[in-house]
Amino acid sequence: MARRRDEVPEEEDQEMEEELVTLQFDEPLSWRAGKPIATGELLRRLEKLSKELVDMDQETIDKQSLTHVAKELASPNLLSHREGGVRAFAAACLVDVLKLCAPEAPFTPKQLKEIFTLFVKTILPALWDPSNAYNTQHKYVLTSLAEVKSILLINDVTNAEELLLYLFSSFFDGVSGSSKAASGEQVAKDVEWHMSEILITLVEESPSLPPPVLDVIMAQFLRAAPPGGRKEKADANGKQTTLLPKEEPEAYALAKTVCNSCPEKMARYVGQYFSEVIMDVSGNSGHANGHKDDDDSDEDDGAAGPSDSEFKELRKAHQLLRELWRAAPTVLPNVIPQVDAELSADNIQLRLLATETLGDMISGIGAAGPPPSPELDPTAYPPLKLNDEIPDHPAISILTTPISPLSFAQTHSQAFHNFVGRRNDKSPLIRAAWTTGVGYIVSTSAGSIGLSREDESVFVNGLRDKLNDNDEKVRLAAVKAIETFSFRDIVTKLAAIGGVNKEGSVLFTLADRCRDKRPSIRVEAMALLGKLWAVGSGELAAGQESAISALSGIPSRIFNTFYANDLELNVLLERVVFECLIPLSFPPPPKAKGTKSSNGNSQSQPAVDTTYDQDRIRAERILLVVKDLDSNARRAFNALQARQPQFSKVLDNLVRQCDAFNGGNPEGNAEKIDQNLKKTIQYLSQFLPDAVKVDADLYNFATWHDRRCYQLIRFAVSAESDFKTMHRAVKELVKRIQGSPKPHMLDTLLPLLYRSAYIVLNKSHLSTYMDCSKSDKDGLGSAAQEITTEISQNNPDLFKTHVGQLCKDLVDGAPTADKSNETSMVETLKACSSYSKKYPNELPVDRKFIQALISYSLYGEPAKAAKYAVNVMMVRKDDKSMVSATDLLQRIMKGWGYDSPHFITKLAAVSQLELLASKVTADANDRIIDTALEDVLFKVRTDAKDSDPEWAADSELDEECQVKCWALKLVINRLRGTQDLEEAKELAKPVFKLLRNILKQSGELCKTQDTPKHHKARVRLLAGQLFLKLCTSKHFEEIFSHADFNQLAFLTQDPSAMVRRLFVEKLQKYLVQNKLRPRFYTMIFLTAFEPDTAFKNQIETWIRSRAHFFRDAKQSVMESTMGRLISLLAHHPDYGTEVDDLIDHARYLLYYVSNVATEANFGMIFKYAERVKQTRDGITPAESERLYVVSDLAQNILRKWQEKKNWIFQAYAGKVGLPMGLYTALPSHNVAQEIAAKQYLPEELEEQLDELVRSVDKKKKRRNADERAEGQPAQKKVRTTVPKAAAKVKTPKVAKTPSKRPAVKSSKTSSRSKKAPASSPAPDSADRRRSGRSKKSSTYVERDSSEDDEDMLEGVAEWDYYDGRGNRVGDDDDDSSGLSEPEEEPAPADEEAEAEEAPEEDKESELSDIEEDEEAPAPPSSPPKAANGRRGRAAASSPTTSKTKSLVSRPAVKASAAKAKPPAASKAKAKPAPKARVATTRSTRSRRAAAQDEDEDADTNAV
C-alpha cells in the first residue's frame, strides 16, 4: 500500500511535465564585441519574444526554458542599448520573465539591480511622454510591476534605497507635471492609478521604508503651501490665494492616496519622522503648565530654547502636520501627543507654535493657510438675506477650504482639552493665537465636521472673554477673529446667546471695543460693526427677528462713542458712519439684468426699471439707522447734523482764504491774507486729533493751490448740491489729492469733508423723508419726522424747494370741527415754523393758507399743532398777521371754557398769542387768566388714587394734565409777552409766587382736593423749567431771589427720576447756550446723590466738559461756584449738626472737588472756601454759623484731596469776591478773628472724612485699572458705596431749635465766589442725599485727576478783615471789594458754546448742546465781558505777590490774624450721643425737612 501511494505522485509529476509549455523562441539576442545585431533585427526578435512571453501562463510554462532568454535579456548589450525601443522591448520581456518565474527571479543580484535600474530610471520615467513610440511597452512594464507586484523585488537589490528614492521622486514629479514632455499631452489616468498601486505595494509590503523616501512622501503635502511659503494669518486677506490651484495637486493627491491606503504602516513611519524633529527640538526646553498665574515673565523663552535653524525645521514640521490632518488624519495618532506635550513647554515659541497648529488642525486649515475672510460689503444692493446661499469667495481654493475628515475633539480628546486650556496662558502671544484659532474653529464648524453644543459654547464664551483681555494684542486678535465669520454665522452662532444689546454677549462686548484705548482695536471693532449692520440692513428692514435681536443696537453703540469726548474717536465715528453704515457709494448705480452685485457676490440683481431710485434707497437706509438709535445715540446723531452747517461755512471760508493765498503769492494785503488763513486753520485744527499735522496739511493744501479742488469743495458743502453732485465732487477730490505731491493731506481733508458736506441732510433725500413721515412706511415715520424737524431747525435752506409742497400739504390736511388732522401734520407745521423764522416772507399769505392755519389753531391735534400754526401766522408781524390773530382770538373766545370742544387746542393757541401778540389778547386777558387759574390750575377733576404712577409718559398723559401744563405755559407766556419792562416786573411778582408755591407744595395747587401724583410731577417739573426760561431774560433774573434760587435748585433732588432728569437737561441746555447766568451752575452739584448711575455719569462728564471749556477760555466760572455752593448747602433742608449730616454734605463738596479741582485752580477754590468765614449769611444772618461749618468742611475736604493727589499748594494771590445778597460783611475785625480762629467741625468727623476721601480714591483706582484692562469708559463700572467709619444708631430728629453750639453739625456745600457756573445734571429724588447713605449707591469721583492737572494759579491766600464801621483793615485796594456783586461773566459766544461739547475735546461734542428749542434765540456772539469785583488770571500770576508754600493743616492767615487750630485742638462743644434715624419715604429729603414741609402744607391749606 505504501509503495502504491508513493507511485501515484510520481505518475502525476510525469503528466505535468508532459503538459508544460516550453519557450519556442531560439534566436540569439546577444552578440560578441564587434559583431552587433542590427537594431532592426534586434527589435524584430525582441518583439517576437515579447509576443510569445505574453501568451504564456505561469502555471504551464517550463521555467527552465526561460533561463537562456533571461540571461540574454539581462545582458548589458540590451539593458544599455542606445536605442530606446530595444530597451523598451527588453524591459517588457523582462517583466514577463519575472512574472512567469515568480516568486524566484532567474537573475543574479547584479543583473537584478541592472534590470530595476532600467525600470526605475529609464522605462517608468518615459511614461510622462505619452507620444513616445514605445509608450505601449512602457505602460506594459508599469502594469506588470503593479499587478504582479514584482516591484517588491527591488527590496532584494543591493543599495535599494537609491532606487526607491528615485522611483518615488520620479512618480511624484511626474504626476505633478514637472517631468512631462514638451508636447504637453496628458498622461492617462490608468498610468497614475498603476503608479499609486506600485507605491502602495512598496509601502504596505516592504519590511521598512527608508527615511529619504518618507521625506519625499511628506514633501508632497507641502505642495499645498502657497508660493513663497505660508503667509501669516494676520496677513491672510485672500489676495495671495489667487495663486493657489483650484484643485489638489496630482502629487499631493498621490501622496494622500498612499497614506490613506496604508494607515497603520504610515502612522508608524510618520510617528518616527516627527519624533526626530519635534522631540529633538522641544525635548530640551522643559515643560510647565504655562498658565497666567505663573510667576515667570511672559516673554521668557525658557532656559534652552531651540536655535533659529531648529525652530525653522520645527515650524516646517508643524506646517506639514496641518496638511496631514486635512489629507490623512489616520497617520497621526502617534504625533498628536507630541504636539500636545509642546503645549506645556516652558519655551513660549514652542507653546505658541503648538497652539497655532492645534487650532488649525481642529478647524481643518492646512499649509495653504486659512480661507479668505468673508466680504462684508456695506454698499451692496439688495443686501444679503440670511437664507441666501453663501457665494464662494473669488479667491477660494480647495487648499484653503477648511476640511477636517475626523472630529479632533473625539479622536484626540486629551489634546483638545489641553488646547482649550490655553486660553488662560500667561503669555498674551499664546492667548492671541488661541483666540485666532478659536475664531476659525467656530466659523468653520471645526472644518465642516461640526462641534458639539458644549464645545461651541466654550469657544464662543472664550472669544467673548478675550475681547476683554487685559492685553491689546489679544483684544485685537479677538476682533479680527470675528471678522472671519460670515454674516449668517455671526447671527446664528455668535448672536445665539444674545445680540449687541444683551450684556455679556459676544456682540455686546465687541461693541465695547469701540471705545478701546488702543486706536487699532477700536478702528477694527467699529468698522466691523458698521459693515455688519449695513450687510444686515435688508433683514432689519424686513423685520427678521434674529437679525433684529442681533444687530439692531449697533448704530446706537457706534453713535454713543460720541460721548467718549475723544477727538480721534470722533473722526473714526464719522468715517464709520459714512463708509460703513451709510456709505457714500450706497446704493450702487443700477446695472443691467443678470449682472452681479457690487460686492462681487452672486446676489441676484433685478433688471433695471424706473423703481430703482438711488436717492430713495439711500434715504431709507438713513432712516433705518435713525430708527434703531436709542435716546442718547439719537441726540448724538442730531448733534452731528446740527454742527454740519457751521462746518460747511468754515470749510467754505477756508477755500476762500486758500484762493486768496494764491499758493503763497497773495495779491493785495499779503500779511492780512496770511493771518486770516492762519486763523482759519487754527480754528479747524482744534477739532481734529493731531493739530500739528492738521496745520501742516492745510498749509500744504493752500500752497498746492488747485482751483479745481476749491470748486469741488464748494460743491460738496453747498446746500444747493444734490447728493449725486456732492458725491461726485468728493470722489474727484479724493482722487485728485491722492495723485497730488502730498497725498497725506487727505487724512485731514476727508474728516472735514465728512463734517461739512450735505450727506445726511441732503435735499435729494428730503422728499423721501417727507413721504415717510406721512405714510410711516416700514415703521420709519417717527425717524423721518425727527430728521425733518432737524432740517427745519438747522438747515431750513433745504426746504426752499419743498416749502410750497409743505404748505399745500398743510392746506389739504387742515382739520375741521368734525375731522381731525393727521399726526404727521404737526411735524410739517414745526418745519414750516422753523423755516419761517429765517425766511418769513417766503411763505404764502393767501387766504386759503391763513384759514388752514386758523383751523389748526382751533381744532389741531395734538395741541402743539396750534402752537406752531400761530408761530407761522405771526411770523411776519405785520398788520395782516395781527388781523388774523384777532380773528382767531375772537373765534376762540366765543366758546371759551374748560368744557368747550377742543379746549386744549384753543388753550395752546391762546398761550402762543399771549407771547407773540400780547396787544391782541390785552382786552381778554382777565377772562383768559381767570380760566387758566381758577378753572384749570386750582381745580382737580381726576381723583387721586394710591395706585397712580409717579410719572406718566407723554403718550399716556391724560387730558386734564395736558390742559394744566398749557394753562401754566399760558400764564408764563403772558408775562414773557409783556413788552414794557416795568409792567413786566410788576406782573412777575404774582407769577413768581405761583411758581414758588408749585415748587413748595410739590405741584399741589388745589386746597380742597388731592391732585394725582403724576399730575403734580408734571406741574412741578414745568414750573421749574419755566422758572429757568424766565431767568433767561435779564429783567426777570434780576428779581429772582436767592431763596427762590435755592428752592428751584432742590428740584434736582426731586423724588421723581424723570422730573430730575428733564429739569437737569433743560438746565444744561440753557447753560451751554449761555442763556442763564453762571450762578445756575451751582444747582448741578446737588446731583451728588443721583441714584441713576448712567445719568450721573453723564452729568459728571458734562461738568468736566464745562470746567475744561472755561479753563481754556481763561474764565473762573467753575471755581467761583464754590462760594455759592457753600451757601446753597448751608440752606439745604437736610442740613444738620450730626456727624452723619456733615459726611453727607462732605459728599456734595467732594463731588464738586473731584470734577472741578485741578492742581492749577486748587488755590483759587480754596480761597473761595476760606473767604466765606470772613462774611455773614446774607439770607438768614442769624444762621451764619451754618456757613462757617460748611466752609470748614470744604477746607478740610480740599486739604485732604490735595494730600491724596500730592499736589503742591500755591495760594491764590488775587482777590475773590462773594455774591452780594448771599453774603454780607462782618461787623468788626475782632469778630472776624474770632470766627477765623474757631474750628466748627467736631473732632470725631476727621477720621470719617479721611475714610471718605480714601474710599473715593480707591474707587478711582479701581476704575482706572479697569480702563487699562478693558479699554472701557468709566460708566461701564458698577459704583461702590462710600464706606462708613462705623455704623451709628441714630434716633429720629426732633423739630429744629436754634442751637447755641458752634455750627459743628452739617455743612454740605463747597464754597466758592460769585460766579457759580457748575456743570452737572440734577440728581434722582429717590436718592437726593440721605438715600445715598441708606442705599449705598452714591459716588463722587469717576475719573482720573490727571484729566484736570492744568493751568496752575499762583499766590498766597490773604484774608480780609473789617473794623467796627465795616471798613476793610490792612488793604488799600478798594476797587475789588470782596462783597461787591460782579457782573456775571457771560459764557462764551454762541459759536464756542455750541462747539464745546466734550470734556476733553473740541467744541462739537457736548451732549447738552444736542437739543435745540425752536423758540430759543441764538446766543450772543459778543466776546465775554470782564468781571467786576475780582482780578482775573493775570492777577493770579502776579510775580510781586506770588509765593509758594505747602499746605499743612490749613493755609496761613495774615500776620494779624490768629492761626487756625487743627481739628484735634478744636474747642467745639462735645456732641450728644448719636441718635437713631427713622428711614424717610422721601429718599432725597431729611425727615426733619419733610416734616417742616408738611407743616407748611397744612398752614397753606388752612388758609
Side-chain angles (χ1 to χ4, degrees), residues 1306-1324:
S1306 108
S1307 62
K1308 304 176 184 177
T1309 53
S1310 20
S1311 60
R1312 258 218 227 229
S1313 165
K1314 286 194 223 192
K1315 301 211 161 192
S1319 348
S1320 150
D1324 253 315

Side-chain angles (χ1 to χ4, degrees), residues 180-299:
K180 289 182 180 178
S183 64
E185 187 175 344
Q186 185 68 33
V187 177
K189 290 296 181 184
D190 62 333
V191 173
E192 295 182 4
W193 185 82
H194 283 110
M195 286 181 177
S196 66
E197 289 298 306
I198 288 177
L199 298 184
I200 292 169
T201 300
L202 287 172
V203 172
E204 186 68 35
E205 301 190 23
S206 296
S208 65
L209 201 62
V213 175
L214 183 61
D215 289 346
V216 170
I217 297 175
M218 295 294 99
Q220 307 315 309
F221 292 101
L222 294 180
R223 291 179 182 269
R230 183 171 185 265
K231 303 299 181 184
E232 292 298 324
K233 283 186 187 180
D235 300 327
N237 54 12
K239 296 179 181 178
Q240 183 67 23
T241 57
T242 55
L243 301 177
L244 294 173
K246 300 302 180 184
E247 297 180 355
E248 292 178 347
E250 292 86 345
Y252 175 97
L254 180 58
K256 177 178 176 181
T257 302
V258 171
C259 290
N260 285 324
S261 300
C262 315
E264 295 182 2
K265 282 222 170 183
M266 286 302 298
R268 185 171 73 250
Y269 297 146
V270 170
Q272 295 172 354
Y273 174 84
F274 281 101
S275 294
E276 296 175 2
V277 179
I278 295 178
M279 297 308 294
D280 289 349
V281 175
S282 62
N284 297 328
S285 61
H287 293 83
N289 57 17
H291 281 271
K292 290 175 75 173
D293 53 3
D294 264 276
D295 295 330
D296 298 336
S297 169
D298 286 356
E299 303 303 325

Side-chain angles (χ1 to χ4, degrees), residues 566-702:
D566 182 88
L567 292 174
E568 191 172 348
L569 193 54
N570 283 353
V571 172
L572 174 61
L573 166 63
E574 289 161 334
R575 294 202 65 165
V576 170
V577 169
F578 299 127
E579 294 175 11
C580 298
L581 287 180
I582 42 178
L584 296 182
S585 54
F586 175 84
K591 297 182 179 181
K593 185 175 181 180
T595 58
K596 290 186 177 181
S597 63
S598 61
N599 63 1
N601 298 334
S602 56
Q603 302 173 24
S604 59
Q605 184 77 30
V608 178
D609 55 46
T610 56
T611 62
Y612 189 81
D613 184 348
Q614 288 178 275
D615 290 333
R616 177 187 58 80
I617 294 170
R618 179 179 173 78
E620 289 177 356
R621 167 76 71 89
I622 295 172
L623 293 176
L624 188 62
V625 170
V626 177
K627 176 187 175 184
D628 288 341
L629 297 179
D630 60 26
S631 58
N632 285 339
R634 192 164 290 195
R635 294 171 64 192
F637 174 84
N638 291 337
L640 291 173
Q641 308 317 313
R643 73 182 185 182
Q644 182 269 326
Q646 176 186 352
F647 267 100
S648 65
K649 293 176 183 177
V650 175
L651 201 58
D652 186 63
N653 182 52
L654 174 68
V655 170
R656 290 198 304 270
Q657 301 293 346
C658 290
D659 201 4
F661 187 65
N662 196 30
N665 300 302
E667 298 177 0
N669 191 338
E671 183 179 352
K672 182 178 180 181
I673 292 173
D674 186 66
Q675 193 68 21
N676 289 340
L677 177 62
K678 183 177 180 180
K679 287 182 179 179
T680 305
I681 292 176
Q682 286 179 344
Y683 177 79
L684 287 171
S685 65
Q686 63 187 318
F687 302 111
L688 295 177
D690 190 345
V692 175
K693 179 175 172 22
V694 173
D695 285 349
D697 286 345
L698 293 182
Y699 270 117
N700 287 333
F701 179 71

